Amino acid sequence: MSRDGINITELVRGFETQSHTYRRQWINWLGIGSAGGILALLSFAAQLPDPDFALNIMGPGLAAFTLGVITAAPNLLFAAYETSAAAGHFASAANRDNLKDAIDGIPEIIASPKVLAERSNAPRNRLIIEHNDYHRQAEAEWSVRTRWQWAMRITSMISASAFLFGISFPLYAVLSGTGFVPPSN
């Protein structure tokens, strides 16, 4: 498909590739950023006189960063499953469409007695059954693809939210004057 000298198909494919690359970078950044947050909080606590006391205070931040890493990790696997389901969908859809063209090229025989028509239409009817099977496969793969996309979205949102909380909690604790050293008796 071309319009004004621009190949629209190639343009769309380029934007889709760019979108997938940005999404992959985003989830990688969330995982690495959360892991870095864990290390930063542990390093901060280790430099204090009573690291255990500081870690108790920073517990929610550590938990949030840990959740951020844990939910970012399966995202690449989910993306692989989503891509596999998309490939299955488009392969089944292409086979279905090719069979539709073949079916349209074979005229339906109408004859009397009915047995003669059924016998004459048997090859066409087998193609119709095969067409319907590919159609069901294409629809099933699309549903699976949609589920994997939702799994990626949900884990990305959880990871992003956990990262934001992981950053916000220690900042709030520091800015509100929380003591990271136990009061002396």
Side-chain angles (χ1 to χ4, degrees):
M1 180 189 291
S2 180
R3 182 175 176 179
D4 299 330
I6 299 173
N7 186 340
I8 302 299
T9 305
E10 289 298 318
L11 183 66
V12 169
R13 187 175 298 136
F15 284 132
E16 286 176 344
T17 301
Q18 191 174 7
S19 172
H20 290 294
T21 301
Y22 288 145
R23 185 175 64 203
R24 192 174 310 119
Q25 287 173 344
W26 165 248
I27 200 64
N28 288 343
W29 182 89
L30 284 172
I32 292 169
S34 291
I38 292 170
L39 292 175
L41 291 181
L42 291 175
S43 295
F44 174 73
Q47 293 179 14
L48 295 173
D50 190 351
D52 290 337
F53 183 81
L55 285 176
N56 282 334
I57 294 171
M58 291 296 180
L62 284 169
F65 281 134
T66 302
L67 180 62
V69 170
I70 289 170
T71 54
N75 220 287
L76 185 59
L77 181 63
F78 294 164
Y81 287 147
E82 185 263 339
T83 301
S84 177
H89 165 76
F90 288 111
S92 293
N95 290 334
R96 176 197 61 202
D97 294 345
N98 289 337
L99 285 170
K100 174 80 169 103
D101 292 342
I103 292 166
D104 290 345
I106 302 171
E108 185 174 5
I109 307 297
I110 301 172
S112 186
K114 190 175 181 177
V115 173
L116 183 61
E118 288 175 359
R119 197 175 310 139
S120 298
N121 287 322
R124 185 175 192 275
N125 291 340
R126 280 193 296 275
L127 290 177
I128 290 171
I129 290 168
E130 196 173 345
H131 169 273
N132 292 340
D133 287 343
Y134 277 118
H135 178 70
R136 279 190 289 279
Q137 288 173 9
E139 293 295 316
E141 290 289 346
W142 191 261
S143 294
V144 169
R145 179 184 188 214
T146 302
R147 285 187 212 119
W148 287 120
Q149 285 177 326
W150 276 106
M152 288 186 318
R153 289 178 186 132
I154 290 168
T155 55
S156 294
M157 289 185 334
I158 292 170
S159 183
S161 299
F163 178 81
L164 287 174
F165 183 81
I167 287 286
S168 301
F169 183 80
L171 289 175
Y172 173 76
V174 168
L175 294 175
S176 68
T178 301
F180 295 102
V181 178
S184 50
N185 295 351

